[in-house]
Amino acid sequence: MWKTRLVLVLGVVLVGRVALEYSAQAFSAAAGLLASTTLIGKQPDGQVLVATNQLIRPWEQSSPMAGRPVEIAIDAGLGLTAVLNTSSVHLLDTGTGVEVARAATKATSYTGLAFRPGATREIWVSETSREGPDAVAIVPIVDRKPGTIARISLQGHAVATGIAFSDAGTAWVALSNRNSVLVVDAENRKTRREIKTGMVPYGVVVSAKRKRVYVSNRGGRVPASGDTTAYSSTSAVKSHPVTGASTSGTVSIIDMESFAEQQIDVGLAPAGLALSPDEGTLAVANAHSDSVSFVDLESLKVSEVKVPAWPEGTFGSTPSAVAFSPDGKMLYVTAGGSNAVVALENEGRRWQLRGAIPTAWFPTALAVGPGGSLQVVNVKGMGSTRDAQGTHTARAFEGSVWRIPAPSRAQLTAGLREAKAANAPRFTAADGVDELSKLGIEHVFLLIKENRTYDQVFGDMGKGNGDPKLVMYGRDVTPNHHALAEQFVLLDNFYTGGAISFDGHQWLMQGFVSDYVERAFAASPRGYAWNMADALTVSPKGFFWQDPKRPVDVRLYGPFSLPATWDPATQRAVDINEDQLLSWPEYWKIYQQKSWKNVIAHRSGVPALQPYINERFPPSSMNVPDQIRAEIWLEELAEREKSGKMPNLLIFTMTSDHTMGTRPNFPTPRAMVADNDLAMGRIVESISKSRFWAKSLILVTEDDAQNGVDHVDGRRTICLAIGPRIRRGVLDSNHYNHASLIRTIQDVYRIKPQVRYAATARAMNSVFTTKADLQPYTALTPKVSLTEMNPALQGLSGQQLWAARQSLKIDANEVDEFPHDVMNRILWGAEKGWKMAYPAERIAKPRVERERD
């Protein structure tokens, strides 16, 4: 059907517009229901079901782009569109969308791309890395092709973001980590001046008419004395005392002649900016307020218009970029959380919602081209997790760019209906228990593990949708996973919300990931805040259990951890650097000696959550065996058995199944996975044999599935549901994901979902039963020794030597920095043998049916 849509969209005659409107209406009416067991991915009608409970099918055929593209700019004179990607700038023909050239760069920032005006044709690009050094890359354009790249080096880890030009000779560059803007002579590439802004500057636009520069400050105003603060990279920003989220957003206004700076308040997490054609209005996309601020640049008065999320009344439309139509009467807004471009229209000096256009997955940038046409960048494209050299892997990143002529009012109306439907897909009934809050569950234990796909662990189950050829950590390595899946419920259609730990943990703790995170995969330049130790990653709605109307007693064991050590004198955790942690053999020794109590500790990366953590629990480091985590829990449980008091919600992180590849001085991958399995089994056994078992629910999942392959999808992973009220000995193929797991806990405690992803998720009602079975669980011991160590380099050769040398590059505290494809091949060789070929690409056939109301 997309070919028909393409012809209709490209048409400019009235017949084409009417036909396209009819097509959208027909699609919405015929959407029907998805079968409850639908697999993720492309459906028979052409839509794609993605792991965030959304359907995507943009009106225009998207042009796929490997990587995670985040920004776009158009030079009408050159007829070129530039797209900022993970480590390159793509040059597209603006008229056709065809790529004409590509300039390789270092890792890019999460925004920052501009054509230099005038006779000298250049593209200026923000480059950065995890810890610096950073630069502005300058790509000369000769005959529409990129030339040799030059760079302006930036002192320290400045993190360049937005770039704009006031004339051909002057560039304005936001420095996110320095809370400032550089004024740069574009001819000699020297800094003229550095001007302080608000916290964490992001976007930059210039008004030549008003001789003003406008900068969005994502972290808002500099905190005042007495303000609650939390860190974002190296800066403290004003934050909420309960959620830890940032609570201020501003725009700096800089006079180009005096360089004086003033700030005005806008919504939370202001991102993209746009000037109206007459330069009388500034539009600001407020990513964490689900709104756009309109600033009258004469009076500096600010009005705000909401960009609704769907279902309406929930949070999470995540507007991050804006662009005016050529006549200034329409403002287009990328709503990343809604997979749409939303149109706001100016009627009588009031802006209101006019309609929407469905896009691909998570649009982050847009530009208006000739004739009012739109070009939109989608950071996650069509949801592809297919690796051409493997099966389906979670880090087969593929974004997209699509073009569409200026939409008519009729198209915007029809598109709004379609976008609403796509954001609330309906499934046939999954059956099970309707009201989870009536089951008498008082204690929920959530165990979060690392990085395994379903096929890697459960492909050998003999039932369910598994591929035994892809099993790497089967029954001998993971006997407790297998026994629990057999004794309770085997879920074979469960998916992670995220692709890596950076976003995976945020999906599990918030049911939300900011545009700031989705953009930052190239280098995570302000920190790899999987633990939300960056206030700008925290949802303003807080964490999924935070509901003042339904307070839940929470205890946290590692999900927000920062490294620390225990001070026996003060009986408190003391912050340390990651390089001060002990080695794996040293931690194993103190585990055997039972002396870990005077060593292990962690602090919360979210200051607001510090009162709820068990400081004695280890940080999330691969150096620490999961057996220590189990021991700490068992000790605490013994005390709770005596007191009879147990929190409502307990969240644990367990890291060993990530593995360290074949790095010497660490256990083998299968030994680390076995450590994880046994620790989980011991925790489950202890709860099942405690006084709290009758009112308990245990949920186990992975934060992501990046280090493995799966024959269905790279995001398919394991999920275990364990407890007296869980069905026994059944296969459950209902479609669930991270948001479903969160929604399940919320339904148990009657917490109203505030974020759109949880609001549209189906709770996992089908795994429950009203009849309690109190039979306890007894942990099994893996057949693999937990101390089976990787060999030293001496004596290795061939692929085994290559793997060990590569594994030496893995940082035990920043494991996701290591190339995932290399890790996958190391793990495959270590378990399957170094002569066994890495699996070739295969495509799972969708197990789907369409049903009508």
Side-chain angles (χ1 to χ4, degrees):
M1 182 182 282
W2 68 262
K3 291 183 179 179
T4 303
R5 285 172 174 262
L6 179 59
V7 172
L8 293 172
V9 172
L10 293 176
V12 295
V13 296
L14 179 60
V15 173
R17 294 192 183 280
V18 172
L20 180 58
E21 179 186 3
Y22 175 80
S23 175
Q25 289 175 332
F27 163 76
S28 296
L33 299 177
L34 290 167
S36 186
T37 56
T38 296
L39 298 180
I40 202 170
K42 191 173 183 179
Q43 306 302 306
D45 64 0
Q47 294 185 99
V48 176
L49 177 64
V50 295
T52 49
N53 300 311
Q54 295 168 301
L55 290 163
I56 55 174
R57 182 170 63 178
W59 280 1
E60 174 67 273
Q61 181 188 19
S62 295
S63 299
M65 184 173 288
R68 292 178 70 99
V70 296
E71 194 60 86
I72 192 170
I74 292 177
D75 187 310
L78 288 171
L80 287 178
T81 297
V83 178
L84 184 66
N85 202 352
T86 306
S87 56
S88 61
V89 176
H90 298 248
L91 297 179
L92 314 179
D93 182 278
T94 301
T96 65
V98 174
E99 182 171 317
V100 297
R102 188 181 307 180
T105 66
K106 298 177 182 177
T108 57
S109 186
Y110 51 84
T111 188
L113 176 73
F115 282 95
R116 180 183 174 186
T120 303
R121 298 299 196 180
E122 296 173 342
I123 304 173
W124 286 39
V125 181
S126 297
E127 280 187 335
T128 188
S129 60
R130 183 70 63 88
E131 297 178 351
D134 305 326
V136 174
I138 300 173
V139 184
I141 304 298
V142 181
D143 296 329
R144 304 182 84 208
K145 302 291 185 182
T148 302
I149 295 177
R151 287 178 171 82
I152 300 173
S153 297
L154 301 173
Q155 182 180 359
H157 188 30
V159 185
T161 48
I163 302 172
F165 289 86
S166 53
D167 53 53
T170 307
W172 301 75
V173 181
L175 301 181
S176 177
N177 249 7
R178 291 228 292 261
N179 303 313
S180 64
V181 168
L182 284 185
V183 187
V184 181
D185 187 311
E187 289 293 331
N188 62 30
R189 299 168 183 171
K190 301 293 184 183
T191 299
R192 295 177 183 170
R193 184 181 293 264
E194 184 170 354
I195 304 166
K196 282 296 180 183
T197 62
M199 307 304 296
V200 195
Y202 181 99
V204 183
V205 295
V206 174
S207 171
K209 176 180 177 180
R210 295 180 180 274
K211 292 181 169 40
R212 299 285 187 271
V213 178
Y214 304 95
V215 182
S216 57
N217 299 307
R218 197 162 178 110
R221 295 187 180 275
V222 175
S225 177
D227 283 343
T228 300
T229 62
Y231 269 87
S232 174
S233 189
T234 58
S235 300
V237 299
K238 188 177 178 183
S239 67
H240 194 280
V242 176
T243 66
S246 62
T247 56
S248 175
T250 65
V251 168
S252 287
I253 304 172
I254 301 171
D255 187 287
M256 286 195 289
E257 295 178 343
S258 68
F259 301 108
E261 185 259 2
Q262 62 175 313
Q263 291 179 48
I264 56 174
D265 293 320
V266 290
L268 298 178
L273 306 171
L275 275 175
S276 61
D278 64 2
E279 298 188 19
T281 302
L282 177 72
V284 186
N286 303 312
H288 285 191
S289 287
D290 281 4
S291 70
V292 172
S293 290
F294 290 93
V295 183
D296 183 305
L297 295 181
E298 189 65 39
S299 65
L300 297 186
K301 291 184 178 179
V302 181
S303 59
E304 187 174 14
V305 176
K306 285 295 181 181
V307 178
W310 300 300
E312 293 184 15
T314 60
F315 167 77
S317 63
T318 319
S320 65
V322 284
F324 282 95
S325 61
D327 61 8
K329 295 182 179 179
M330 197 81 75
L331 182 78
Y332 300 108
V333 187
T334 59
S338 300
N339 303 326
V341 169
V342 171
L344 304 177
E345 189 173 24
N346 189 351
E347 294 186 349
R349 295 187 178 182
R350 292 184 59 189
W351 291 88
Q352 61 184 20
L353 179 67
R354 173 52 55 203
I357 308 166
T359 67
W361 198 3
F362 213 95
T364 58
L366 79 166
V368 175
S373 62
L374 297 180
Q375 299 197 34
V376 181
V377 170
N378 305 285
V379 72
K380 295 193 283 190
M382 296 300 291
S384 173
T385 53
R386 189 182 313 152
D387 185 339
Q389 296 181 353
T391 53
H392 294 75
T393 66
R395 291 195 64 171
F397 295 148
E398 184 179 89
S400 67
V401 180
W402 63 268
R403 303 161 52 254
I404 185 171
S408 69
R409 292 170 68 95
Q411 288 173 320
L412 291 172
T413 300
L416 179 61
R417 289 195 295 269
E418 185 170 328
K420 286 182 177 181
N423 276 274
R426 296 177 300 156
F427 294 81
T428 57
D431 298 325
V433 176
D434 290 332
E435 296 187 59
L436 301 185
S437 61
K438 293 184 177 181
L439 290 176
I441 297 170
E442 296 182 3
H443 316 293
V444 177
F445 301 82
L446 173 58
L447 279 62
I448 303 170
K449 306 177 331 84
E450 292 281 335
N451 297 67
R452 301 276 70 87
T453 67
Y454 178 93
D455 274 339
Q456 280 184 299
V457 179
F458 286 151
D460 63 349
M461 286 294 289
K463 63 178 180 179
N465 187 9
D467 186 339
K469 292 185 293 295
L470 297 179
V471 176
M472 294 169 63
Y473 307 110
R475 193 176 299 270
D476 287 352
V477 181
T478 57
N480 290 291
H481 284 76
H482 284 73
L484 289 166
E486 288 171 336
Q487 292 182 30
F488 292 92
V489 178
L490 174 62
L491 290 153
D492 70 346
N493 197 12
F494 184 94
Y495 304 88
T496 66
I500 58 177
S501 294
F502 192 12
D503 60 338
H505 284 274
Q506 297 186 37
W507 281 114
L508 283 168
M509 294 296 96
Q510 306 179 112
F512 169 83
V513 171
S514 172
D515 64 300
Y516 171 73
V517 173
E518 295 287 13
R519 285 173 169 267
F521 273 56
S524 308
R526 292 182 59 83
Y528 190 75
W530 68 270
N531 54 4
M532 286 139 280
D534 182 339
L536 300 184
T537 67
V538 179
S539 164
K541 299 299 181 183
F543 301 96
F544 75 84
W545 62 85
Q546 291 183 322
D547 182 349
K549 295 181 179 180
R550 295 282 180 185
V552 173
D553 185 15
V554 177
R555 182 76 161 162
L556 304 172
Y557 305 81
F560 304 95
S561 68
L562 293 173
T565 189
W566 189 255
D567 183 351
T570 61
Q571 291 291 293
R572 300 298 299 173
V574 179
D575 292 332
I576 60 173
N577 294 326
E578 291 173 339
D579 58 10
Q580 294 176 273
L581 291 167
L582 303 180
S583 67
W584 190 93
E586 288 172 315
Y587 280 121
W588 184 259
K589 182 178 180 179
I590 66 172
Y591 162 65
Q592 291 180 309
Q593 295 174 342
K594 301 187 183 300
S595 58
W596 47 263
K597 297 178 185 179
N598 293 326
V599 179
I600 294 291
H602 82 281
R603 300 277 293 169
S604 174
V606 181
L609 299 181
Q610 182 65 28
Y612 307 104
I613 73 168
N614 179 343
E615 288 188 320
R616 305 300 298 271
F617 204 75
S620 290
S621 169
M622 297 303 299
N623 289 0
V624 183
D626 278 341
Q627 296 310 306
I628 293 181
R629 296 180 171 92
E631 287 290 337
I632 291 172
W633 162 248
L634 292 174
E635 183 180 80
E636 180 172 322
L637 177 59
E639 294 300 317
R640 295 191 177 279
E641 286 276 30
K642 297 175 184 177
S643 68
K645 296 180 180 179
M646 180 68 74
N648 301 119
L649 177 63
L650 303 91
I651 305 176
F652 300 77
T653 52
M654 306 172 67
T655 61
S656 289
D657 67 331
H658 192 296
T659 85
M660 287 292 287
T662 57
R663 178 171 177 150
N665 214 37
F666 274 90
T668 62
R670 64 178 186 172
M672 297 195 78
V673 175
D675 171 36
N676 177 267
D677 175 83
L678 179 58
M680 181 202 68
R682 295 174 65 197
I683 291 172
V684 171
E685 177 181 5
S686 68
I687 297 167
S688 74
K689 294 180 179 179
S690 74
R691 65 191 296 177
F692 308 104
W693 175 234
K695 298 181 179 181
S696 292
L697 168 65
I698 305 171
L699 298 169
V700 183
T701 193
E702 310 281 327
D703 73 310
D704 62 66
Q706 65 168 308
N707 287 336
V709 293
D710 190 274
H711 84 284
V712 172
D713 188 88
R715 292 175 185 258
R716 191 172 70 135
T717 192
I718 69 164
C719 181
L720 297 172
I722 305 155
R725 298 286 184 172
I726 299 297
R727 297 167 67 198
R728 297 268 180 163
V730 298
L731 169 67
D732 190 326
S733 296
N734 288 296
H735 179 102
Y736 295 129
N737 54 32
H738 276 171
S740 302
L741 187 148
I742 289 171
R743 179 61 184 270
T744 300
I745 300 172
Q746 290 180 323
D747 281 10
V748 165
Y749 293 122
R750 290 192 294 167
I751 297 171
K752 182 180 179 180
Q754 298 187 68
V755 178
R756 65 151 315 281
Y757 302 102
T760 61
R762 299 194 302 166
M764 298 162 60
N765 299 71
S766 63
V767 306
F768 292 91
T769 177
T770 57
K771 185 178 180 180
D773 185 339
L774 295 175
Q775 180 180 351
Y777 176 74
T778 299
L780 303 175
T781 301
K783 293 182 179 180
V784 176
S785 169
L786 305 191
T787 55
E788 179 185 78
M789 303 298 286
N790 289 318
L793 293 179
Q794 293 80 5
L796 300 180
S797 62
Q799 288 294 302
Q800 198 171 6
L801 178 60
W802 167 84
R805 285 175 171 168
Q806 291 294 317
S807 298
L808 282 170
K809 301 175 184 179
I810 304 174
D811 184 337
N813 302 301
E814 300 287 349
V815 286
D816 286 341
E817 284 191 344
F818 190 71
H820 79 283
D821 185 60
V822 177
M823 174 67 94
N824 285 356
R825 291 172 183 274
I826 290 172
L827 297 182
W828 180 265
E831 302 309 319
K832 295 290 191 176
W834 299 103
K835 294 182 179 181
M836 175 73 76
Y838 192 68
E841 178 186 13
R842 285 170 292 166
I843 301 174
K845 294 182 179 179
R847 185 180 61 222
V848 294
E849 298 174 6
R850 267 296 170 192
E851 298 185 19
R852 298 293 184 95
D853 286 320

